[in-house]
Amino acid sequence: MRTKPVLLVIAHGSRDPRHAATVHALVRRVRSLRPGLRVETGFLDFNIPSVHGVLESLAAEGVRDVVALPLLLTRAFHAKADIPAVLRDAPPQLRIRQAEVLGPSPLLLSALERRLYEAGLSPADKSSTGVVLAAAGSTDPEAIAVIAETAREWRRTGWCAVRPAFASAALPRTEDAVRELRELGCARVAVAPYVLAPGFLPDRIARGAAEADVLAEVLGPAPEVARVLLERYDAARRPALAAVGA
């Protein structure tokens, strides 16, 4: 039987202990959805194990195939530069395929709605509620464009309005988008953090939501997010499967 590639989830890392705890909770959910799949976690910075350390350990065990999955919502600097650089420095006996980032995905929109409903909204509130899609922010125009398109797509599902906002590197800020939706006439305003784990920038989003009616939790280990990880893993290994007729 052909051995499945190991899934290596690559997270950024943070000094905030909530970040790593949330990443590990998400990985546990992925394992629960695919019990036969080996899933490891590596961090680019601040936390251990490091990505390089995990790759060295896998090579020492005799593992040969790895799918490296960036735990990122958009293709910005980390996905385009940092992670490829780390993977190029991996032990040469490893065959590594880098999976796509998580977003965009309809499942992520479902996860955002889950968090809003958990925060007190209901499907009946959609037509009268304006939502701020609050992302971390990036200097990469491609990443900003993806967030804007995600907001437009989400608006088409029935919300009164959806506006993108950013905690850093781009405008508008969360508080400005909240005020814009108030001025637009939405009966209530909700802030949906489009981030995977708590930390410095999600805390800034929360402060910017002070005048909103509802603030959702971060995406975290939502089941929809775990399903996206497995979709990206399957897509990354599909060319190899086709080559062997699997």
Side-chain angles (χ1 to χ4, degrees), residues 10-131:
I10 300 179
H12 182 272
S14 171
R15 293 186 178 90
D16 189 322
R18 297 173 298 167
H19 173 89
T22 302
V23 170
H24 290 310
L26 175 58
V27 169
R28 286 194 297 272
R29 188 176 287 276
V30 172
R31 292 188 182 119
S32 72
L33 292 176
R34 190 78 61 90
L37 175 62
R38 181 174 177 181
V39 187
E40 300 291 344
T41 308
F43 296 90
L44 291 173
D45 206 354
F46 302 115
N47 303 105
I48 54 173
S50 68
V51 176
H52 183 73
V54 174
L55 292 172
E56 291 277 0
S57 296
L58 290 174
E61 288 180 35
V63 170
R64 290 296 174 262
D65 286 327
V66 176
V67 170
L69 194 155
L71 197 59
L72 300 167
L73 294 170
T74 58
R75 270 183 51 78
F77 181 79
H78 294 304
K80 294 177 178 179
D82 281 354
I83 291 174
V86 172
L87 298 181
R88 283 194 296 271
D89 195 35
Q93 62 268 44
L94 291 176
R95 178 171 183 250
I96 303 175
R97 282 160 280 177
Q98 182 175 329
E100 291 295 329
V101 297
L102 303 186
S105 168
L107 284 170
L108 294 177
L109 295 182
S110 297
L112 288 165
E113 294 206 0
R114 171 190 290 275
R115 293 303 188 224
L116 285 173
Y117 297 153
E118 290 170 350
L121 293 179
S122 74
D125 297 321
K126 291 184 75 168
S127 63
S128 58
T129 301
V131 180

Side-chain angles (χ1 to χ4, degrees), residues 97-182:
R97 282 160 280 177
Q98 182 175 329
E100 291 295 329
V101 297
L102 303 186
S105 168
L107 284 170
L108 294 177
L109 295 182
S110 297
L112 288 165
E113 294 206 0
R114 171 190 290 275
R115 293 303 188 224
L116 285 173
Y117 297 153
E118 290 170 350
L121 293 179
S122 74
D125 297 321
K126 291 184 75 168
S127 63
S128 58
T129 301
V131 180
V132 178
L133 181 67
S138 173
T139 57
D140 189 306
E142 178 187 350
I144 297 302
V146 167
I147 299 299
E149 178 55 33
T150 299
R152 286 191 290 270
E153 181 178 343
W154 201 16
R155 163 67 181 84
R156 290 192 283 268
T157 67
W159 294 99
C160 174
V162 180
R163 295 289 187 271
F166 305 94
S168 68
L171 297 173
R173 293 286 182 258
T174 302
E175 53 269 33
D176 297 325
V178 169
R179 295 188 190 105
E180 180 187 349
L181 291 172
R182 289 271 188 232

